[in-house]
Amino acid sequence: MGQNSAAEPRIQQPGEVIAPEVSQSDVTKAAEEIYGLQIISCRQLNGYDDKNYHLVTSGVTSNPHLSAPAPEGYVLKIINSMDTQRPEILYAQVAFMKHLSARGIGVQEPLPDKNGDPVAFYTFPSPDGKGEGRRHAVCLRSFMPGKILADVTLTPDLCYQVGQFLGKMSAALQYDFDHRFYDIFDCLWSMNNISKLGEFTARCRGPTGSTPGGGGHCRVQSMCAAKRGEIRQGFVHGDPNEQNILVIVKDRDSQLPPSVDHTEYVISGILDYQDVARTHPLYDLAMCIAYVMLTATTFDPLEVGGHILAGYTSQLALPALERALLKTTVASRLAQSLVLGAYTHSLDPPTTTSSQRRRADGPFCVRCGPRLHRKLDSRWSTIEASYDR
């Protein structure tokens, strides 16, 4: 199949495997050949459709377009087969990163190959060593030090910071970012595609014949079909989850206001720009609340939304209609994530992120799904009001 044109937008189909199959030694070889780096270590990172690797180098490079090699290393992305056939998405991601970076939002820096291009192509040997190799797009990006939100103890203060960060990012995308690729881009994980979940549910039935996610996705499908024309349109990150939000240890000498609960971390940035899209900013807020709730162990996860909302609305107003639709959209994202996470796991069981999400989403949907509709509006409003603006 050829490269996608404007007339050929498409999303991943049921049963279609798009994740790269590559060995670590081949990844190291590709990095050396494409980017002129001397690799000391190569460690696989979390990922869904792409394969991501943290590379540490010797400090020597033959790449005239790279400045002094970064001591913290780099991230090498081996791009999935579908996005390899539409490299416009990778150039659009470069534009997205540059736009946010220029406005003080912590994102990775796209880095050039030896030809000065932020997108390269490389043919990897076939997994069994037989037959033709497989060509994949490859991207090098800066490594952002810190921890992912999922790896630290979540606190109300961190939730507030997450909301602040998301509000700032949404505000930075409201007016002056655009890229023509997103006029035709579609993504399986977009909440606009919740109506397609039934096609994937049957492929990931449990041993008892049960299907993940229940019927939660049906609520947002009917809700947004009626209200989509009335809520904000704009660009979104598309996956602001606990695996993509980064934190760093707070600088004790900084001028940041002290946190009420003495949180030791501050939000530093966000990773993974594969699902950037032109859609509804409400979706980013709902996704963020849904996923961050999964990490709350020291306080009630249903309070997470109130703290995130307080941070978000300190940066950007949330229209009344979107506030009314928010909790249903959160519940529906949990169902969507459970279905697609189970589906991805069925295709590639070792995928770390899909396994983590599948383990977390299932019990949470069963335990908390019905509670999302019981007095939650007033509970979140009370938490918001507790913050002194």
Side-chain angles (χ1 to χ4, degrees):
M1 179 171 52
Q3 179 176 307
N4 279 68
S5 68
E8 301 177 308
R10 76 178 195 89
I11 62 173
Q12 184 181 358
Q13 299 301 304
E16 181 181 12
V17 179
I18 64 174
E21 296 182 63
V22 296
S23 70
Q24 208 145 294
S25 61
D26 289 332
V27 169
T28 298
K29 183 179 179 182
E32 292 173 345
E33 292 184 13
I34 300 169
Y35 297 100
L37 300 171
Q38 293 185 7
I39 308 302
I40 294 176
S41 67
C42 174
R43 176 174 63 91
Q44 186 168 353
L45 304 172
N46 288 353
Y48 251 103
D49 296 329
D50 299 336
K51 293 291 176 72
N52 304 307
Y53 298 86
H54 180 205
L55 306 178
V56 177
T57 71
S58 66
V60 177
T61 177
S62 60
N63 187 339
H65 302 284
L66 283 181
S67 56
E72 66 272 14
Y74 304 92
V75 173
L76 187 72
K77 294 184 67 69
I78 314 300
I79 307 300
N80 67 79
S81 59
M82 189 166 73
D83 288 346
T84 291
Q85 296 176 52
R86 54 180 184 191
E88 297 95 336
I89 188 175
L90 305 175
Y91 290 102
Q93 289 171 18
V94 168
F96 179 85
M97 286 182 274
K98 289 182 175 180
H99 176 87
L100 289 184
S101 179
R103 286 152 183 81
I105 306 296
V107 291
Q108 290 175 288
E109 178 187 359
L111 299 169
D113 63 14
K114 290 191 288 188
N115 297 318
D117 199 316
V119 180
F121 293 88
Y122 189 83
T123 300
F124 292 87
S126 60
D128 60 4
K130 303 175 183 178
E132 295 183 3
R134 300 184 181 185
R135 183 173 181 261
H136 287 278
V138 179
C139 297
L140 187 70
R141 293 176 182 168
S142 60
F143 178 80
M144 297 178 68
K147 295 182 177 182
I148 58 174
L149 187 65
D151 287 345
V152 302
T153 300
L154 189 71
T155 64
D157 179 72
L158 264 179
C159 291
Y160 182 85
Q161 289 187 51
V162 167
Q164 279 187 314
F165 181 88
L166 189 63
K168 289 177 183 177
M169 182 172 67
S170 294
L173 293 170
Q174 263 198 319
Y175 302 111
D176 55 348
F177 176 71
D178 200 5
H179 195 286
R180 63 182 183 181
F181 172 78
Y182 295 118
D183 293 341
I184 55 102
F185 175 61
D186 200 4
C187 169
L188 175 61
W189 281 85
S190 168
M191 294 195 72
N192 289 335
N193 287 319
I194 281 185
S195 61
K196 296 181 171 63
L197 283 187
E199 302 170 23
F200 294 86
T201 303
R203 292 177 175 268
C204 44
R205 291 181 182 275
T208 63
S210 61
T211 57
H217 59 277
C218 297
R219 291 191 294 271
V220 77
Q221 180 183 341
S222 58
M223 171 196 74
C224 285
K227 302 294 186 181
R228 191 169 290 163
E230 302 177 40
I231 60 178
R232 289 176 298 159
Q233 293 271 353
F235 283 93
V236 300
H237 173 274
D239 200 11
N241 67 53
E242 82 291 357
Q243 303 287 328
N244 289 333
I245 297 172
L246 284 177
V247 301
I248 56 173
V249 175
K250 181 185 293 184
D251 180 358
R252 295 183 183 275
D253 297 325
S254 74
Q255 298 304 307
L256 290 169
S259 57
V260 175
D261 53 7
H262 309 293
T263 298
E264 294 298 322
Y265 294 99
V266 292
I267 306 301
S268 60
I270 193 163
L271 305 169
D272 188 2
Y273 321 106
Q274 183 179 349
D275 294 341
V276 172
R278 190 200 309 272
T279 180
H280 304 294
L282 170 65
Y283 290 168
D284 254 8
L285 179 58
M287 291 178 199
C288 186
I289 291 174
Y291 290 133
V292 175
M293 282 196 301
L294 301 178
T295 71
T297 58
T298 61
F299 64 102
D300 189 339
L302 292 184
E303 294 181 355
V304 165
H307 298 289
I308 290 179
L309 269 173
Y312 184 91
T313 55
S314 74
Q315 305 298 315
L316 191 65
L318 183 67
L321 177 58
E322 295 184 26
R323 184 180 290 269
L325 298 175
L326 180 57
K327 62 180 183 293
T328 300
T329 312
V330 169
S332 298
R333 179 59 177 195
L334 287 169
Q336 182 186 32
S337 181
L338 182 58
V339 170
L340 294 182
Y343 169 73
T344 301
H345 182 83
S346 73
L347 296 178
D348 186 12
T351 299
T352 304
T353 307
S354 68
S355 299
Q356 291 170 337
R357 181 65 38 72
R358 190 165 172 248
R359 288 196 300 268
D361 282 7
F364 190 89
C365 282
V366 172
R367 179 168 57 92
C368 293
R371 296 174 63 204
L372 282 171
H373 296 278
R374 296 175 190 162
K375 301 181 180 178
L376 199 55
D377 289 327
S378 61
R379 190 172 182 182
W380 285 357
S381 295
T382 299
I383 292 172
E384 280 187 86
S386 71
Y387 285 86
D388 182 10
R389 301 294 175 84

